[in-house]
Amino acid sequence: MNDSMNTSGRGTTGRDTSEQVPDIGTLSISASVADRDRSRNDEKVRLNTPTRGCDSVPPESSIADVLERAAFPNMGQRVRELPIGSSCPSDPNLGQNALRDFGLPVHPHPPSPGIRGCPVKLRTNHLQVQYIPNVIYEYCASITPPPVSRNVRYSIYQLAEQTAAWREAGMVGAVAHDGASRLVSSQRLPDVLEIQVSYQQEGTPAPQHGARVFILSIKLVQTLDANTLTRYIEGPPELQNFNISPVVSALNLVQLAARGDIGVVSVGRSRFFLALHAGTDLGDGLEARKGFVTSLLPTRGHLTIKVNVGTTAFYSPGNLAASMLASQDPMLAPRSRLMQNVKVRTTHTQSRHVFRVRDLAAQDSDTRMINTPDFGQVTISHYITLRFGIQLSFPHLPLVETHSSAILPPELCEILPGQPFRGVLHDSHAAAMTNLACVYPNTGGQVIRQLAQQPVGPVLSSFGMNIGTDLLQVTGRVLPKPAIIYSSNTAYVDDRPRPQWSLREAHFIVGGRLDQWTVLVIKDNSPPEFAGVTDPELQEAVVAFRDMCNSRGVTVTGDPTYTAVQLPPRTPTDPIREAALAAIKTAFKDEKKPQLVMVALANRDKMVYDGLKYLFDVLLDLPSICFLSSKFRHGAPSRAQYLSNLSLKLNVKLGGVNHRLDAETVAWLNVRPTMIVGMDVVHPGPDSAMGTPTIAAVVANVDEHFAQYPASLSLQQSRGEMIFDLKMMMIERLKFYQNRNDGELPERILVYRNGISDSQISCLLSTEVPAMKEAFQTFNTSSTPYSPKMTIVICSKNRRTGTWFGVDGATDGNPEAGTVVDSDVTSANKFEFYLQAHGTAKGTARPTLYTVIYDEIGVTADEIQGATHALCYMYAPATHAVSLVAPAYYADLASKRGRCYLRGHFYGHIMEGSDDQQAVWEDARRIGDIPGSAVSSTMFYI
């Protein structure tokens, strides 16, 4: 979560169960709007890109001066309108056509598999599918009148399946559907097919008198020839750009429909949970349940079904009032959001009706008055007593408003089982979920084999499909480990349980310098926090940290100044702790501006941490490092390792280089001057305020060691995956590179783009590639055009649906770190490979899928695999390899640092209940519309 909270053990960790995410990156808020307008009419606001590094001594100015300047936004900047309606093109060939229009190459055909490394036999979580390539009939389904919600629509399908018309049309066991508009059949259905359904409310045994009638109309759209799939998985070049998704998605509907016959509870169309499995209590009215996710994939020579065993949070069934009382922690999302769309059944009448919660009312049962024919005007609590003889125990709780306009006391409602929680989990819940979800490949493989043995009903066989019962065997290679070089020695890389190395006697390649620094002590009534600035344990710990840094080659001179602040207590009316941030501002405003601030946190309060990053990164333009007091003080377990890991972050924030790789490992990267770019976005969550912007990040190295990656951030349309201001962001990165390299520009650019799905690749090719090409053209001179060769690699690391590998006979089943697979389970028509660069001491080490979608450099399989593997060892805050290539990892952290600045928006505590997305956008823009910062010339987000 922050500088301090993930620096225990051997280095800061990454993304799997073996890698906890470290400090959530930071930047400030934004470049010239005028420049952006001149370059392109984008629909968004930028976050700031500062100009000075933090390794120079700042001018003599007080914190109060800086806060005074920061209090006045730049009124010269124009207000942007909220972008509406932007989306990716749906045509999968659009990206290819756009590239041809620009005279650019389309994505490459897969080359021959790599040969470097030691071969190894592996098992994977794929089951092979045998199928007879028959004709598939695809239909469009519509419902008249249109249902008011997705839940009603799906209920209509379930009711239709029970009708005589469904049976007479021959649809039983012969069709699969998505519960919306798509239906596929193994045989041709009647040309005109309409099924009448009398809507039956949930919880009632039969349709009530006067029930609403819906008509399900089914019309033929097209016939699909499964023979094309057979040819596609053989990988002929002429089918490289063929859109096989209609056939694959049709067969995927079939295999998903078959899961309903094995005694499971389905959530959506792809997640299934064992009906008999008891949930594990998470607290706050939530429980965790085991389940599995399946998806069908065409791979090289195979059609497979990928199965992942996982854990999901559900609402605990039981009394709604008890659940509300259990979830009153102000750190959680507002209760109204926690309870939205929960399905409840009334308990106070014989006919137990089912409702869905829309919201919580502003009044409770003791204050809401109603007019009744029998008792006149009374409160709801009094009416319940008079009418049903029930004395409410919790009349002070807010009333429940349902989608059908009913108003109910929560203690007269029970939450129905089998409802997944779709909000953002609290940190404690997420940690408990992670522990429950940790299973080794051997255990996961056994569960998948057991699931494969279950009967699947008639739907599969009607489409000529048969699913194997054993895990698919594949061939991989273990790549050689790079050598880790320090200025004083070459570190020994220990392979088990994960590649890691010791900092003992190590001196950083380039050490930073820290002359003026401040230690800020946060007191929050959370023992064992430090007593204050004179606490001898604090003084001892600071000296120990300074000595640690100097022993590593970071020059830390003199003693710091000290400031302490007592935070006001947490209150439900201040969920994001604005009062705490105000107290810190007041305590710090008279200080002389230092070069860097070290913050002694009292606890893991995320709102305090996020507020500190906003204060120092944006308002004060000061680099900062946070640490937990409990881990920093003398006698804390593994304190030496904790201090050592803090020194890794400090050196990077001061512009230093911790380590480099041996010359042989990075030989290909150094053939020509090369800039490595990482790109990612972070979206608002389900609990965020409507209209909260997405935050985009672009990082790029500026040094020959591929170690220093400053960042650019920008605000853009909510949930927009494409980076809309990429041209200006790439220009900024190239200028930084140019300034750090004596005016020279890179000849090659290798981009690692995180978070893009297959369906979005065409959009990326048609928008982001031209934007980067336009950025290159701004560096043209009168005599020489600037046209570096560029290769783009998509990084996909989906923990819920990802592929994993296991080794038969191994203790836990995890393969050795550095395992790469580029055949068997990769696409026959894409340049892609799986790389598991890291190891894990707990759970399953999941590889990342890398796909080369654009290649001007002309990389071979061995070259791109070797470069990617090497960069997984260049994650600066760690002394081990990480699971995601470092530039993409940095972009992920940088985008998440922007979330700290908009914490009220992202956690749903700004304009709660408002549907005014424009107002939310303007409020975010106001926070982001602050003059420049000095921190973004360094890796501030670490």
Side-chain angles (χ1 to χ4, degrees), residues 69-100:
R69 291 196 300 270
F72 298 94
N74 184 353
M75 301 308 293
Q77 293 188 346
R78 287 182 290 160
V79 177
R80 295 275 185 167
E81 295 299 319
L82 177 68
I84 300 296
S86 298
S87 62
C88 284
S90 58
D91 182 358
N93 295 317
L94 183 55
Q96 307 294 334
N97 296 335
L99 294 183
R100 293 189 182 98

PDB file of all heavy atoms in Angstrom, residues 69-100:
ATOM      1  N   ARG A  69       0.612  29.673  -2.282  1.00  0.00           N
ATOM      2  CA  ARG A  69       0.622  29.672  -3.747  1.00  0.00           C
ATOM      3  C   ARG A  69      -0.295  28.598  -4.300  1.00  0.00           C
ATOM      4  O   ARG A  69      -0.993  28.788  -5.286  1.00  0.00           O
ATOM      5  CB  ARG A  69       2.047  29.447  -4.255  1.00  0.00           C
ATOM      6  CG  ARG A  69       2.975  30.617  -3.992  1.00  0.00           C
ATOM      7  CD  ARG A  69       4.229  30.492  -4.839  1.00  0.00           C
ATOM      8  NE  ARG A  69       4.962  29.285  -4.555  1.00  0.00           N
ATOM      9  CZ  ARG A  69       5.923  29.189  -3.637  1.00  0.00           C
ATOM     10  NH1 ARG A  69       6.263  30.262  -2.927  1.00  0.00           N
ATOM     11  NH2 ARG A  69       6.565  28.058  -3.444  1.00  0.00           N
ATOM     12  N   ALA A  70      -0.298  27.426  -3.633  1.00  0.00           N
ATOM     13  CA  ALA A  70      -1.092  26.303  -4.137  1.00  0.00           C
ATOM     14  C   ALA A  70      -2.578  26.507  -3.938  1.00  0.00           C
ATOM     15  O   ALA A  70      -3.388  25.811  -4.536  1.00  0.00           O
ATOM     16  CB  ALA A  70      -0.660  25.006  -3.441  1.00  0.00           C
ATOM     17  N   ALA A  71      -2.942  27.483  -3.105  1.00  0.00           N
ATOM     18  CA  ALA A  71      -4.369  27.688  -2.826  1.00  0.00           C
ATOM     19  C   ALA A  71      -5.089  28.358  -3.980  1.00  0.00           C
ATOM     20  O   ALA A  71      -6.305  28.383  -4.018  1.00  0.00           O
ATOM     21  CB  ALA A  71      -4.535  28.519  -1.561  1.00  0.00           C
ATOM     22  N   PHE A  72      -4.326  28.929  -4.932  1.00  0.00           N
ATOM     23  CA  PHE A  72      -4.947  29.645  -6.034  1.00  0.00           C
ATOM     24  C   PHE A  72      -4.698  28.897  -7.331  1.00  0.00           C
ATOM     25  O   PHE A  72      -3.586  28.863  -7.828  1.00  0.00           O
ATOM     26  CB  PHE A  72      -4.382  31.062  -6.122  1.00  0.00           C
ATOM     27  CG  PHE A  72      -4.662  31.874  -4.907  1.00  0.00           C
ATOM     28  CD1 PHE A  72      -3.721  31.940  -3.884  1.00  0.00           C
ATOM     29  CD2 PHE A  72      -5.866  32.536  -4.769  1.00  0.00           C
ATOM     30  CE1 PHE A  72      -3.985  32.682  -2.744  1.00  0.00           C
ATOM     31  CE2 PHE A  72      -6.121  33.286  -3.635  1.00  0.00           C
ATOM     32  CZ  PHE A  72      -5.192  33.354  -2.604  1.00  0.00           C
ATOM     33  N   PRO A  73      -5.736  28.263  -7.897  1.00  0.00           N
ATOM     34  CA  PRO A  73      -5.560  27.529  -9.148  1.00  0.00           C
ATOM     35  C   PRO A  73      -5.209  28.471 -10.294  1.00  0.00           C
ATOM     36  O   PRO A  73      -5.460  29.668 -10.234  1.00  0.00           O
ATOM     37  CB  PRO A  73      -6.923  26.863  -9.368  1.00  0.00           C
ATOM     38  CG  PRO A  73      -7.881  27.701  -8.596  1.00  0.00           C
ATOM     39  CD  PRO A  73      -7.133  28.225  -7.421  1.00  0.00           C
ATOM     40  N   ASN A  74      -4.640  27.873 -11.318  1.00  0.00           N
ATOM     41  CA  ASN A  74      -4.243  28.630 -12.503  1.00  0.00           C
ATOM     42  C   ASN A  74      -5.487  28.997 -13.302  1.00  0.00           C
ATOM     43  O   ASN A  74      -6.024  28.195 -14.049  1.00  0.00           O
ATOM     44  CB  ASN A  74      -3.294  27.780 -13.344  1.00  0.00           C
ATOM     45  CG  ASN A  74      -2.770  28.546 -14.542  1.00  0.00           C
ATOM     46  OD1 ASN A  74      -3.193  29.654 -14.818  1.00  0.00           O
ATOM     47  ND2 ASN A  74      -1.828  27.937 -15.244  1.00  0.00           N
ATOM     48  N   MET A  75      -5.941  30.226 -13.141  1.00  0.00           N
ATOM     49  CA  MET A  75      -7.194  30.622 -13.770  1.00  0.00           C
ATOM     50  C   MET A  75      -7.044  30.819 -15.271  1.00  0.00           C
ATOM     51  O   MET A  75      -8.024  30.968 -15.980  1.00  0.00           O
ATOM     52  CB  MET A  75      -7.698  31.921 -13.127  1.00  0.00           C
ATOM     53  CG  MET A  75      -7.938  31.792 -11.632  1.00  0.00           C
ATOM     54  SD  MET A  75      -8.991  30.389 -11.201  1.00  0.00           S
ATOM     55  CE  MET A  75     -10.531  30.927 -11.914  1.00  0.00           C
ATOM     56  N   GLY A  76      -5.805  30.798 -15.763  1.00  0.00           N
ATOM     57  CA  GLY A  76      -5.606  30.942 -17.194  1.00  0.00           C
ATOM     58  C   GLY A  76      -5.949  29.678 -17.957  1.00  0.00           C
ATOM     59  O   GLY A  76      -6.132  29.699 -19.167  1.00  0.00           O
ATOM     60  N   GLN A  77      -6.036  28.562 -17.258  1.00  0.00           N
ATOM     61  CA  GLN A  77      -6.356  27.307 -17.937  1.00  0.00           C
ATOM     62  C   GLN A  77      -7.855  27.227 -18.181  1.00  0.00           C
ATOM     63  O   GLN A  77      -8.666  27.591 -17.336  1.00  0.00           O
ATOM     64  CB  GLN A  77      -5.896  26.113 -17.090  1.00  0.00           C
ATOM     65  CG  GLN A  77      -4.387  26.019 -16.977  1.00  0.00           C
ATOM     66  CD  GLN A  77      -3.967  24.724 -16.312  1.00  0.00           C
ATOM     67  OE1 GLN A  77      -4.791  24.047 -15.724  1.00  0.00           O
ATOM     68  NE2 GLN A  77      -2.700  24.390 -16.434  1.00  0.00           N
ATOM     69  N   ARG A  78      -8.203  26.720 -19.327  1.00  0.00           N
ATOM     70  CA  ARG A  78      -9.608  26.635 -19.689  1.00  0.00           C
ATOM     71  C   ARG A  78     -10.227  25.371 -19.122  1.00  0.00           C
ATOM     72  O   ARG A  78      -9.585  24.342 -19.010  1.00  0.00           O
ATOM     73  CB  ARG A  78      -9.767  26.644 -21.203  1.00  0.00           C
ATOM     74  CG  ARG A  78      -9.516  28.017 -21.803  1.00  0.00           C
ATOM     75  CD  ARG A  78      -9.736  27.977 -23.284  1.00  0.00           C
ATOM     76  NE  ARG A  78      -8.700  27.208 -23.937  1.00  0.00           N
ATOM     77  CZ  ARG A  78      -8.830  26.691 -25.151  1.00  0.00           C
ATOM     78  NH1 ARG A  78      -9.946  26.861 -25.807  1.00  0.00           N
ATOM     79  NH2 ARG A  78      -7.843  26.030 -25.691  1.00  0.00           N
ATOM     80  N   VAL A  79     -11.511  25.449 -18.792  1.00  0.00           N
ATOM     81  CA  VAL A  79     -12.216  24.304 -18.237  1.00  0.00           C
ATOM     82  C   VAL A  79     -12.608  23.355 -19.362  1.00  0.00           C
ATOM     83  O   VAL A  79     -13.154  23.775 -20.379  1.00  0.00           O
ATOM     84  CB  VAL A  79     -13.487  24.776 -17.486  1.00  0.00           C
ATOM     85  CG1 VAL A  79     -14.261  23.585 -16.981  1.00  0.00           C
ATOM     86  CG2 VAL A  79     -13.101  25.686 -16.333  1.00  0.00           C
ATOM     87  N   ARG A  80     -12.330  22.093 -19.166  1.00  0.00           N
ATOM     88  CA  ARG A  80     -12.723  21.083 -20.156  1.00  0.00           C
ATOM     89  C   ARG A  80     -14.120  20.566 -19.855  1.00  0.00           C
ATOM     90  O   ARG A  80     -14.505  20.411 -18.711  1.00  0.00           O
ATOM     91  CB  ARG A  80     -11.743  19.910 -20.112  1.00  0.00           C
ATOM     92  CG  ARG A  80     -10.323  20.293 -20.529  1.00  0.00           C
ATOM     93  CD  ARG A  80     -10.187  20.231 -22.024  1.00  0.00           C
ATOM     94  NE  ARG A  80      -8.824  20.472 -22.444  1.00  0.00           N
ATOM     95  CZ  ARG A  80      -8.388  20.236 -23.646  1.00  0.00           C
ATOM     96  NH1 ARG A  80      -9.197  19.742 -24.548  1.00  0.00           N
ATOM     97  NH2 ARG A  80      -7.140  20.488 -23.973  1.00  0.00           N
ATOM     98  N   GLU A  81     -14.869  20.267 -20.892  1.00  0.00           N
ATOM     99  CA  GLU A  81     -16.172  19.644 -20.712  1.00  0.00           C
ATOM    100  C   GLU A  81     -16.005  18.158 -20.451  1.00  0.00           C
ATOM    101  O   GLU A  81     -15.042  17.542 -20.879  1.00  0.00           O
ATOM    102  CB  GLU A  81     -17.027  19.842 -21.966  1.00  0.00           C
ATOM    103  CG  GLU A  81     -17.369  21.301 -22.242  1.00  0.00           C
ATOM    104  CD  GLU A  81     -18.176  21.902 -21.112  1.00  0.00           C
ATOM    105  OE1 GLU A  81     -19.073  21.227 -20.589  1.00  0.00           O
ATOM    106  OE2 GLU A  81     -17.907  23.049 -20.738  1.00  0.00           O
ATOM    107  N   LEU A  82     -16.943  17.595 -19.730  1.00  0.00           N
ATOM    108  CA  LEU A  82     -16.921  16.158 -19.480  1.00  0.00           C
ATOM    109  C   LEU A  82     -17.084  15.396 -20.781  1.00  0.00           C
ATOM    110  O   LEU A  82     -18.039  15.620 -21.517  1.00  0.00           O
ATOM    111  CB  LEU A  82     -18.067  15.773 -18.534  1.00  0.00           C
ATOM    112  CG  LEU A  82     -18.220  14.285 -18.231  1.00  0.00           C
ATOM    113  CD1 LEU A  82     -17.030  13.810 -17.395  1.00  0.00           C
ATOM    114  CD2 LEU A  82     -19.517  14.024 -17.494  1.00  0.00           C
ATOM    115  N   PRO A  83     -16.139  14.531 -21.125  1.00  0.00           N
ATOM    116  CA  PRO A  83     -16.243  13.789 -22.387  1.00  0.00           C
ATOM    117  C   PRO A  83     -17.364  12.765 -22.312  1.00  0.00           C
ATOM    118  O   PRO A  83     -17.474  12.023 -21.360  1.00  0.00           O
ATOM    119  CB  PRO A  83     -14.883  13.105 -22.504  1.00  0.00           C
ATOM    120  CG  PRO A  83     -14.372  13.014 -21.106  1.00  0.00           C
ATOM    121  CD  PRO A  83     -14.935  14.184 -20.371  1.00  0.00           C
ATOM    122  N   ILE A  84     -18.177  12.753 -23.312  1.00  0.00           N
ATOM    123  CA  ILE A  84     -19.321  11.838 -23.343  1.00  0.00           C
ATOM    124  C   ILE A  84     -19.262  10.992 -24.604  1.00  0.00           C
ATOM    125  O   ILE A  84     -19.003  11.482 -25.692  1.00  0.00           O
ATOM    126  CB  ILE A  84     -20.661  12.608 -23.320  1.00  0.00           C
ATOM    127  CG1 ILE A  84     -20.759  13.468 -22.047  1.00  0.00           C
ATOM    128  CG2 ILE A  84     -21.839  11.663 -23.408  1.00  0.00           C
ATOM    129  CD1 ILE A  84     -20.793  12.666 -20.768  1.00  0.00           C
ATOM    130  N   GLY A  85     -19.496   9.690 -24.430  1.00  0.00           N
ATOM    131  CA  GLY A  85     -19.762   8.850 -25.579  1.00  0.00           C
ATOM    132  C   GLY A  85     -18.569   8.336 -26.340  1.00  0.00           C
ATOM    133  O   GLY A  85     -18.738   7.726 -27.382  1.00  0.00           O
ATOM    134  N   SER A  86     -17.325   8.591 -25.896  1.00  0.00           N
ATOM    135  CA  SER A  86     -16.174   8.052 -26.613  1.00  0.00           C
ATOM    136  C   SER A  86     -16.071   6.561 -26.369  1.00  0.00           C
ATOM    137  O   SER A  86     -16.276   6.088 -25.270  1.00  0.00           O
ATOM    138  CB  SER A  86     -14.891   8.739 -26.132  1.00  0.00           C
ATOM    139  OG  SER A  86     -14.945  10.110 -26.396  1.00  0.00           O
ATOM    140  N   SER A  87     -15.754   5.824 -27.385  1.00  0.00           N
ATOM    141  CA  SER A  87     -15.636   4.372 -27.228  1.00  0.00           C
ATOM    142  C   SER A  87     -14.722   3.822 -28.296  1.00  0.00           C
ATOM    143  O   SER A  87     -14.386   4.494 -29.266  1.00  0.00           O
ATOM    144  CB  SER A  87     -17.018   3.702 -27.322  1.00  0.00           C
ATOM    145  OG  SER A  87     -17.572   3.926 -28.593  1.00  0.00           O
ATOM    146  N   CYS A  88     -14.320   2.568 -28.102  1.00  0.00           N
ATOM    147  CA  CYS A  88     -13.472   1.912 -29.086  1.00  0.00           C
ATOM    148  C   CYS A  88     -14.302   1.477 -30.278  1.00  0.00           C
ATOM    149  O   CYS A  88     -15.490   1.174 -30.142  1.00  0.00           O
ATOM    150  CB  CYS A  88     -12.805   0.684 -28.468  1.00  0.00           C
ATOM    151  SG  CYS A  88     -11.453   1.094 -27.366  1.00  0.00           S
ATOM    152  N   PRO A  89     -13.708   1.413 -31.438  1.00  0.00           N
ATOM    153  CA  PRO A  89     -14.445   0.904 -32.591  1.00  0.00           C
ATOM    154  C   PRO A  89     -14.750  -0.566 -32.419  1.00  0.00           C
ATOM    155  O   PRO A  89     -13.958  -1.309 -31.865  1.00  0.00           O
ATOM    156  CB  PRO A  89     -13.477   1.145 -33.751  1.00  0.00           C
ATOM    157  CG  PRO A  89     -12.128   1.235 -33.129  1.00  0.00           C
ATOM    158  CD  PRO A  89     -12.343   1.837 -31.781  1.00  0.00           C
ATOM    159  N   SER A  90     -15.914  -0.973 -32.912  1.00  0.00           N
ATOM    160  CA  SER A  90     -16.295  -2.372 -32.778  1.00  0.00           C
ATOM    161  C   SER A  90     -15.748  -3.234 -33.906  1.00  0.00           C
ATOM    162  O   SER A  90     -15.702  -4.449 -33.803  1.00  0.00           O
ATOM    163  CB  SER A  90     -17.831  -2.484 -32.744  1.00  0.00           C
ATOM    164  OG  SER A  90     -18.390  -1.907 -33.924  1.00  0.00           O
ATOM    165  N   ASP A  91     -15.339  -2.616 -35.013  1.00  0.00           N
ATOM    166  CA  ASP A  91     -14.830  -3.373 -36.143  1.00  0.00           C
ATOM    167  C   ASP A  91     -13.432  -3.891 -35.835  1.00  0.00           C
ATOM    168  O   ASP A  91     -12.502  -3.096 -35.645  1.00  0.00           O
ATOM    169  CB  ASP A  91     -14.788  -2.465 -37.380  1.00  0.00           C
ATOM    170  CG  ASP A  91     -14.314  -3.222 -38.633  1.00  0.00           C
ATOM    171  OD1 ASP A  91     -13.997  -4.414 -38.512  1.00  0.00           O
ATOM    172  OD2 ASP A  91     -14.258  -2.587 -39.712  1.00  0.00           O
ATOM    173  N   PRO A  92     -13.216  -5.201 -35.745  1.00  0.00           N
ATOM    174  CA  PRO A  92     -11.902  -5.716 -35.401  1.00  0.00           C
ATOM    175  C   PRO A  92     -10.846  -5.416 -36.444  1.00  0.00           C
ATOM    176  O   PRO A  92      -9.656  -5.500 -36.175  1.00  0.00           O
ATOM    177  CB  PRO A  92     -12.146  -7.231 -35.264  1.00  0.00           C
ATOM    178  CG  PRO A  92     -13.336  -7.508 -36.114  1.00  0.00           C
ATOM    179  CD  PRO A  92     -14.191  -6.287 -36.004  1.00  0.00           C
ATOM    180  N   ASN A  93     -11.253  -5.077 -37.682  1.00  0.00           N
ATOM    181  CA  ASN A  93     -10.277  -4.783 -38.734  1.00  0.00           C
ATOM    182  C   ASN A  93      -9.937  -3.298 -38.821  1.00  0.00           C
ATOM    183  O   ASN A  93      -9.079  -2.900 -39.611  1.00  0.00           O
ATOM    184  CB  ASN A  93     -10.817  -5.248 -40.091  1.00  0.00           C
ATOM    185  CG  ASN A  93     -10.980  -6.758 -40.147  1.00  0.00           C
ATOM    186  OD1 ASN A  93     -10.106  -7.497 -39.697  1.00  0.00           O
ATOM    187  ND2 ASN A  93     -12.109  -7.215 -40.667  1.00  0.00           N
ATOM    188  N   LEU A  94     -10.619  -2.469 -37.988  1.00  0.00           N
ATOM    189  CA  LEU A  94     -10.424  -1.029 -38.101  1.00  0.00           C
ATOM    190  C   LEU A  94      -8.995  -0.638 -37.781  1.00  0.00           C
ATOM    191  O   LEU A  94      -8.396   0.211 -38.435  1.00  0.00           O
ATOM    192  CB  LEU A  94     -11.391  -0.293 -37.175  1.00  0.00           C
ATOM    193  CG  LEU A  94     -11.357   1.241 -37.243  1.00  0.00           C
ATOM    194  CD1 LEU A  94     -11.586   1.717 -38.664  1.00  0.00           C
ATOM    195  CD2 LEU A  94     -12.381   1.836 -36.301  1.00  0.00           C
ATOM    196  N   GLY A  95      -8.408  -1.261 -36.744  1.00  0.00           N
ATOM    197  CA  GLY A  95      -7.036  -0.944 -36.382  1.00  0.00           C
ATOM    198  C   GLY A  95      -6.076  -1.273 -37.503  1.00  0.00           C
ATOM    199  O   GLY A  95      -5.162  -0.501 -37.811  1.00  0.00           O
ATOM    200  N   GLN A  96      -6.280  -2.417 -38.157  1.00  0.00           N
ATOM    201  CA  GLN A  96      -5.410  -2.789 -39.266  1.00  0.00           C
ATOM    202  C   GLN A  96      -5.553  -1.792 -40.418  1.00  0.00           C
ATOM    203  O   GLN A  96      -4.569  -1.376 -41.020  1.00  0.00           O
ATOM    204  CB  GLN A  96      -5.784  -4.200 -39.754  1.00  0.00           C
ATOM    205  CG  GLN A  96      -5.823  -5.269 -38.652  1.00  0.00           C
ATOM    206  CD  GLN A  96      -4.450  -5.508 -38.066  1.00  0.00           C
ATOM    207  OE1 GLN A  96      -3.451  -5.294 -38.729  1.00  0.00           O
ATOM    208  NE2 GLN A  96      -4.398  -5.947 -36.825  1.00  0.00           N
ATOM    209  N   ASN A  97      -6.785  -1.390 -40.728  1.00  0.00           N
ATOM    210  CA  ASN A  97      -6.996  -0.452 -41.827  1.00  0.00           C
ATOM    211  C   ASN A  97      -6.368   0.903 -41.517  1.00  0.00           C
ATOM    212  O   ASN A  97      -5.810   1.557 -42.409  1.00  0.00           O
ATOM    213  CB  ASN A  97      -8.502  -0.285 -42.083  1.00  0.00           C
ATOM    214  CG  ASN A  97      -9.137  -1.581 -42.555  1.00  0.00           C
ATOM    215  OD1 ASN A  97      -8.460  -2.433 -43.126  1.00  0.00           O
ATOM    216  ND2 ASN A  97     -10.432  -1.735 -42.305  1.00  0.00           N
ATOM    217  N   ALA A  98      -6.467   1.338 -40.255  1.00  0.00           N
ATOM    218  CA  ALA A  98      -5.879   2.619 -39.875  1.00  0.00           C
ATOM    219  C   ALA A  98      -4.373   2.599 -40.045  1.00  0.00           C
ATOM    220  O   ALA A  98      -3.776   3.570 -40.503  1.00  0.00           O
ATOM    221  CB  ALA A  98      -6.244   2.953 -38.427  1.00  0.00           C
ATOM    222  N   LEU A  99      -3.754   1.492 -39.689  1.00  0.00           N
ATOM    223  CA  LEU A  99      -2.307   1.388 -39.855  1.00  0.00           C
ATOM    224  C   LEU A  99      -1.928   1.442 -41.324  1.00  0.00           C
ATOM    225  O   LEU A  99      -0.938   2.075 -41.707  1.00  0.00           O
ATOM    226  CB  LEU A  99      -1.798   0.084 -39.226  1.00  0.00           C
ATOM    227  CG  LEU A  99      -1.924  -0.017 -37.697  1.00  0.00           C
ATOM    228  CD1 LEU A  99      -1.321  -1.324 -37.215  1.00  0.00           C
ATOM    229  CD2 LEU A  99      -1.217   1.143 -37.018  1.00  0.00           C
ATOM    230  N   ARG A 100      -2.701   0.782 -42.162  1.00  0.00           N
ATOM    231  CA  ARG A 100      -2.400   0.822 -43.596  1.00  0.00           C
ATOM    232  C   ARG A 100      -2.562   2.240 -44.136  1.00  0.00           C
ATOM    233  O   ARG A 100      -1.791   2.685 -44.993  1.00  0.00           O
ATOM    234  CB  ARG A 100      -3.313  -0.156 -44.341  1.00  0.00           C
ATOM    235  CG  ARG A 100      -3.032  -1.620 -43.994  1.00  0.00           C
ATOM    236  CD  ARG A 100      -3.807  -2.562 -44.915  1.00  0.00           C
ATOM    237  NE  ARG A 100      -3.572  -3.946 -44.545  1.00  0.00           N
ATOM    238  CZ  ARG A 100      -4.394  -4.674 -43.796  1.00  0.00           C
ATOM    239  NH1 ARG A 100      -5.512  -4.126 -43.326  1.00  0.00           N
ATOM    240  NH2 ARG A 100      -4.115  -5.924 -43.502  1.00  0.00           N
TER     241      ARG A 100
END
